[in-house]
Amino acid sequence: MNNIIVFASTAFAAGIWQAEQYNWHIPTLIILAATLGAIALWRIRNNFQYSFWPIVGLFFIVGMIYFSQDSIIQPDDISNFVGKTVKIEGIVDAVPEIMESDGENKRVRYVIRVEKVKQERTKEFIKSSGRLRLSIQYKSDNCKVASYGDNLVVHGKVLELHGYNNPGQIDMTTSLRREKITARMAVQEQDSTVIGLLKGVSWQETLASWREGIIKAFQRVMPLNDAGIITALLFGGYQNINKSVVNDFAATGLIHILSVSGAHIALVAGLIRWICGRLRLSSLVTASLAALLITLYAVMSGLTPPVIRSAIMGLISLLAVVFERESYAPTALSITALGMLIYQPLLLFDISFQLSFGATAGLVFLYRPTVEYLSRLPDWLAGPLAVTLSAQIGVIPLIAWYFNNFSLISFAANILVLPIVELVILLGLAGVIIYMAIPVAGNIIFVVSSLLIGCIIMFTRFLAEVPYSSIYIPTMGLGASIVFYLLVAWVYGWRPFAVPGPKQLYVQWPKNCILIVVILTGMFVFYGGYPQPLTVHFIDVGQGDASLIITPHGRAVLIDTGGSFSGSNFDIGERVVVPYIKHYGVTTIDYLILTHGHQDHAGGAAGVASKVNVKHLMLPQEQYTPAVQALIRARSDMVIIPTSTGQTFELDGAVVYIEQAIATIEKDQAASSNEVSNVIRVTYGQHSFLITGDLEEKGEKLLLDNDVKPCTVLKVGHHGSKTSTTAPFLQAVSPHFAVISVGYANRFGHPHPETLKRLEAGKTTIYRTDMHGAVIFKSNGKKLDVDTYIK
């Protein structure tokens, strides 16, 4: 019975994944589900044992049907007005977030439950539904920020949810859809009006105000960074924590502790069990008290989906302890997963859900065998080491897919640092409770917690700086992940059909085993050194440019890095470009070439250089912009090469040629102009790629004067603006393909309709990063294939 629940839950999740990948004919699925259901019932009546696979198949089909139905957008949903300017009336459906504030001006993010909508040329509101993510920029001194439950009217353009569409990227759009948010809007203060205030007080607002008061109490008695850390440990979030501290936590494998998770819930439950054990209370009383405190802690932390998931797991574990059914942990885990996926199928694609259940499954299935494997070690070492190892094994494919980085030092960090972290969590919770009754006593506990946080920071920094504390692990796709988990299951004893285990194989056929290992190792080495096609990637960095060339033997050239606008703290280089290049196995950039120093081309360069080794930096001969200055400060060991027309270098048969580099700039010009953009040509065999930065008409004329040659792929200049990609230039380069790197719904109106018409007139196939996501070309020198992230 336990096995069938585990397999059925897994099949339901697989069905959701399959339905997300492809569109299926729902009536056919319903007929198939009914057939499998009938077979299962018939077999249950005759012999329950033979109903296993029909039931598993039924859950798989039901998962597909359930996801398909859940993802249907209602006819009156606000997302049906995407691209239209409308007036919306709705209710503030979550506690507002203040995203940026400089004293007078601030940007506030709301979630609006839409009730009515009116288009520009209509007189009356019509009924609508769905949830809208709304950003309002307030500029007045006495601005009135709406509260949870307020009735709000806003006027603006409805936009679709849109993130950075690249392989290996954390899908924030799916995260919003999971919260039933289907569209977004950004307006100014004058475009919004609060027309109805909340009657009474909501528990969400009360809880948020209480948490804000506790955070201010932290900040009064400890440094801002320490206050940010204890806030993260107790309630989650990275606000006010120094970036270097977050990086140290990530490098030591402790980053998960900064979000409320199963570890926090287990800690609370463990403390209650210890106290009740000392008081010799019954198991039922102990479990009841623990359940009460777990529920209160979940409410304190905001009842976010990860917190709810962790609390449910904690409560199920408590029930298992009370009824002495600890061996049912796999079943409890499966039921929890199934219940949460039935509640919200999109949770399957949430990174927090995946990592949480992967680590928990590792602990459930692998902990006891791992302890046995480590039986020769002292108990004080074997236990914590087994916890870390089993949890890490459970999530290795996920870590490889999302982060490409595995912390070797995490084992030491869990033994040395984690106990202090757990003590800080317990002291912090106790301090919060005491503070509400006796503020002075609570403040004393907060000060002690701050001293311990200082020790945590010191230890994590020391461990993060240990050489080779983390290693790069290549991306594992679905097939490789399945093979990995099957291999783990085989090593840990799951061997159907009397398959011998690794020890038995080695004892019976030692020479054959050694020979197989040698052959497999040789195959991996040969495959790693075997030439692959040249790949040219145009990365989706929003309103900016970033192109990656990977040669047949894995050497890399990065041209531009994208960059954020409007003073945003989001580092596109670190958060978008670095994950992308690591996803494709790049750990060293041989050449980083900047077409020019504008923010949308060079703003992410410092973030890239801080995370990835850069050997050579090629810069235009212009005044250094702040983005270029930050890049040079980030890595001092780069060889800096000023670009000039005619420069060339070759990597594995791919020739990179500086087609044009303007070395002078007028004194009255800005520090960096579009016209000084380097133009780079990458040639491999019969195909060439012309990358033009922000080149406009004047720069294109200079290329024409120098008899610019045709190209296979043109990276369209200046994001497809009206002043670039002129007709004479297009006639000269006559590209078969054109790539426009551009942000969705950008304020510049790129790409311009006239530019698109000129490209279409030349029968050029157009790809746009705002519509297709990352665009990838592959070539063996003769054949050229193209693939896009969004199909």
Side-chain angles (χ1 to χ4, degrees):
M1 185 64 182
N2 290 340
N3 284 338
I4 200 168
I5 292 174
V6 172
F7 275 84
S9 301
T10 304
F12 187 82
I16 291 173
W17 175 83
Q18 183 65 215
E20 195 274 339
Q21 297 293 312
Y22 307 100
N23 291 323
W24 295 85
H25 189 237
I26 298 299
T28 302
L29 292 178
I30 292 174
I31 293 171
L32 187 56
T35 303
L36 286 170
I39 294 172
L41 288 173
W42 177 73
R43 289 195 170 183
I44 287 172
R45 288 185 61 186
N46 290 277
N47 189 332
F48 181 81
Q49 183 179 356
Y50 295 112
S51 66
F52 183 89
W53 290 114
I55 290 175
V56 171
L58 175 62
F59 270 78
F60 177 76
I61 300 299
V62 169
M64 295 174 66
I65 297 172
Y66 191 77
F67 177 83
S68 300
Q69 295 301 305
D70 185 77
S71 58
I72 293 175
I73 300 296
Q74 298 300 317
D76 63 348
D77 191 87
I78 187 61
S79 62
N80 292 308
F81 294 90
V82 164
K84 298 177 182 178
T85 301
V86 299
K87 181 174 285 187
I88 293 173
E89 181 178 332
I91 305 295
V92 179
D93 204 30
V95 177
E97 300 176 69
I98 298 178
M99 304 305 297
E100 297 173 4
S101 178
D102 58 6
E104 295 181 357
N105 303 330
K106 56 185 170 184
R107 183 166 65 91
V108 181
R109 181 182 292 167
Y110 300 93
V111 174
I112 305 298
R113 186 176 73 252
V114 179
E115 294 188 333
K116 302 176 183 177
V117 64
K118 181 172 76 70
Q119 298 189 55
E120 280 188 306
R121 297 181 181 179
T122 58
K123 295 182 179 180
E124 296 182 355
F125 279 93
I126 60 174
K127 183 181 178 181
S128 185
S129 64
R131 301 177 86 211
L132 177 83
R133 189 173 189 174
L134 172 67
S135 175
I136 300 181
Q137 187 78 30
Y138 293 95
K139 294 185 177 180
S140 60
D141 296 339
N142 57 348
C143 58
K144 169 61 179 174
V145 177
S147 301
Y148 178 87
D150 286 349
N151 202 338
L152 194 64
V153 173
V154 292
H155 179 266
K157 188 175 184 179
V158 181
L159 303 174
E160 71 174 346
L161 301 177
H162 201 279
Y164 298 98
N165 294 296
N166 300 306
Q169 197 81 36
I170 296 174
D171 193 346
M172 299 307 298
T173 298
T174 299
S175 296
L176 293 175
R177 286 170 51 207
R178 177 174 52 79
E179 299 175 29
K180 303 299 182 183
I181 297 172
T182 56
R184 62 186 176 93
M185 180 184 286
V187 301
Q188 301 296 319
E189 178 183 3
Q190 62 269 21
D191 297 317
S192 66
T193 307
V194 179
I195 62 171
L197 298 177
L198 173 69
K199 304 299 181 182
V201 180
S202 69
W203 71 268
Q204 291 93 337
E205 282 284 349
T206 302
L207 184 60
S209 299
W210 174 82
R211 274 202 307 268
E212 188 64 28
I214 294 296
I215 292 170
K216 288 180 179 178
F218 293 154
Q219 294 173 349
R220 282 194 293 267
V221 297
M222 61 178 72
L224 187 62
N225 183 62
D226 290 4
I229 290 175
I230 196 169
T231 300
L233 292 175
L234 298 183
F235 307 126
Y238 300 155
Q239 287 186 341
N240 299 322
I241 305 178
N242 291 340
K243 188 176 179 180
S244 61
V245 174
V246 175
N247 290 337
D248 290 342
F249 270 79
T252 53
L254 295 174
I255 193 68
H256 65 280
I257 209 71
L258 296 180
S259 299
V260 178
S261 62
H264 296 68
I265 300 298
L267 194 60
V268 171
L271 177 64
I272 297 303
R273 288 183 64 186
W274 181 80
I275 293 174
C276 291
R278 292 286 180 176
L279 297 176
R280 296 183 179 179
L281 299 178
S282 67
S283 296
L284 183 60
V285 173
T286 300
S288 300
L289 288 174
L292 177 62
L293 284 179
I294 286 173
T295 304
L296 288 175
Y297 184 39
V299 172
M300 286 169 51
S301 300
L303 288 177
T304 60
V307 173
I308 294 173
R309 180 171 60 252
S310 300
I312 291 173
M313 279 301 302
L315 292 172
I316 290 176
S317 299
L318 279 172
L319 289 175
V321 171
V322 170
F323 295 105
E324 298 180 352
R325 292 292 187 272
E326 289 92 336
S327 61
Y328 287 6
T331 305
L333 178 67
S334 300
I335 292 173
T336 304
L338 181 62
M340 297 197 74
L341 290 176
I342 290 173
Y343 171 73
Q344 179 48 267
L346 283 173
L347 271 176
L348 182 67
F349 309 102
D350 180 75
I351 182 175
S352 175
F353 179 89
Q354 294 170 2
L355 291 173
S356 176
F357 271 95
T360 305
L363 290 170
V364 167
F365 291 103
L366 306 179
Y367 172 72
R368 292 193 181 280
T370 304
V371 169
E372 293 177 5
Y373 283 138
L374 302 176
S375 58
R376 294 185 180 181
L377 296 176
D379 292 343
W380 64 268
L381 180 60
L385 195 58
V387 168
T388 304
L389 190 60
S390 54
Q392 293 279 25
I393 291 174
V395 296
I396 280 180
L398 297 171
I399 292 173
W401 179 263
Y402 289 111
F403 308 112
N404 298 110
N405 190 71
F406 184 77
S407 175
L408 296 175
I409 208 70
S410 62
F411 302 106
N414 276 274
I415 293 171
L416 298 176
V417 181
L418 193 58
I420 307 176
V421 172
E422 292 174 343
L423 179 59
V424 170
I425 293 173
L426 294 176
L427 281 176
L429 288 173
V432 167
I433 295 170
I434 294 172
Y435 177 84
M436 291 187 291
I438 311 173
V440 174
N443 285 334
I444 293 173
I445 295 176
F446 295 156
V447 171
V448 174
S449 300
S450 180
L451 295 175
L452 291 173
I453 289 172
C455 295
I456 293 171
I457 293 172
M458 181 180 66
F459 282 135
T460 52
R461 184 172 301 159
F462 170 77
L463 292 173
E465 292 175 353
V466 172
Y468 306 106
S469 60
S470 62
I471 58 171
Y472 171 84
I473 52 177
T475 301
M476 298 172 65
L478 178 63
S481 300
I482 292 173
V483 170
F484 172 82
Y485 285 123
L486 288 175
L487 185 61
V488 169
W490 174 66
V491 170
Y492 273 83
W494 187 71
R495 298 160 194 157
F497 312 114
V499 174
K503 185 176 180 180
Q504 184 181 352
L505 284 175
Y506 182 75
V507 169
Q508 291 184 358
W509 302 287
K511 292 182 180 180
N512 292 345
C513 290
I514 294 173
L515 180 61
I516 290 173
V517 170
V518 170
I519 291 174
L520 290 175
T521 303
M523 290 174 61
F524 278 113
V525 171
F526 177 77
Y527 178 78
Y530 189 80
Q532 303 295 315
L534 175 88
T535 56
V536 179
H537 307 246
F538 296 94
I539 308 170
D540 179 11
V541 290
Q543 185 67 14
D545 274 16
S547 307
L548 174 69
I549 297 97
I550 303 178
T551 69
H553 288 289
R555 303 182 71 179
V557 178
L558 181 64
I559 302 174
D560 290 338
T561 60
S564 302
F565 289 95
S566 305
S568 172
N569 292 325
F570 186 88
D571 191 327
I572 283 183
E574 184 178 337
R575 302 280 294 278
V576 177
V577 179
V578 169
Y580 186 96
I581 63 179
K582 285 189 174 182
H583 184 79
Y584 283 98
V586 174
T587 56
T588 297
I589 296 172
D590 291 271
Y591 288 88
L592 170 57
I593 307 174
L594 296 181
T595 57
H596 62 304
H598 279 177
Q599 179 69 16
D600 58 330
H601 291 253
V608 171
S610 67
K611 296 295 183 182
V612 180
N613 180 36
V614 178
K615 291 184 177 179
H616 304 90
L617 170 63
M618 300 185 71
L619 295 173
Q621 297 185 46
E622 60 175 351
Q623 297 178 33
Y624 286 171
T625 62
V628 174
Q629 293 171 8
L631 165 61
I632 295 173
R633 288 194 301 269
R635 184 171 288 276
S636 59
D637 58 345
M638 297 179 295
V639 177
I640 300 178
I641 305 171
T643 56
S644 59
T645 302
Q647 281 177 320
T648 184
F649 60 88
E650 182 179 343
L651 295 174
D652 298 339
V655 178
V656 181
Y657 176 69
I658 306 299
E659 188 98 2
Q660 179 170 285
I662 300 175
T664 59
I665 184 169
E666 299 295 334
K667 291 182 180 180
D668 59 346
Q669 280 184 293
S672 180
S673 167
N674 291 337
E675 297 302 342
V676 303
S677 287
N678 286 327
V679 179
I680 300 106
R681 183 184 294 269
V682 180
T683 303
Y684 187 67
Q686 300 175 2
H687 302 288
S688 66
F689 302 79
L690 193 64
I691 299 171
T692 60
D694 273 351
L695 201 68
E696 296 181 316
E697 184 176 7
K698 183 178 177 181
E700 291 177 356
K701 285 182 178 178
L702 289 175
L703 283 172
L704 291 172
D705 293 341
N706 289 292
D707 297 323
V708 63
K709 300 294 188 294
C711 65
T712 312
V713 180
L714 172 67
K715 201 294 298 178
V716 173
H718 200 197
H719 320 290
S721 71
K722 182 180 179 180
T723 55
S724 67
T725 322
T726 58
F729 178 71
L730 277 177
Q731 185 176 1
V733 298
S734 59
H736 298 289
F737 304 96
V739 178
I740 305 175
S741 188
V742 63
Y744 168 75
N746 64 86
R747 67 177 185 267
F748 308 103
H750 295 158
H752 197 277
E754 291 186 18
T755 302
L756 295 175
K757 287 181 181 178
R758 291 196 290 268
L759 288 166
E760 291 167 354
K763 297 183 179 179
T764 303
T765 302
I766 302 171
Y767 293 99
R768 298 169 45 171
T769 57
D770 62 333
M771 296 175 62
H772 299 100
V775 182
I776 305 168
F777 292 88
K778 293 183 180 181
S779 176
N780 60 4
K782 296 180 181 179
K783 184 180 178 183
L784 183 68
D785 296 317
V786 61
D787 190 20
T788 59
Y789 181 76
I790 300 176
K791 308 300 181 183

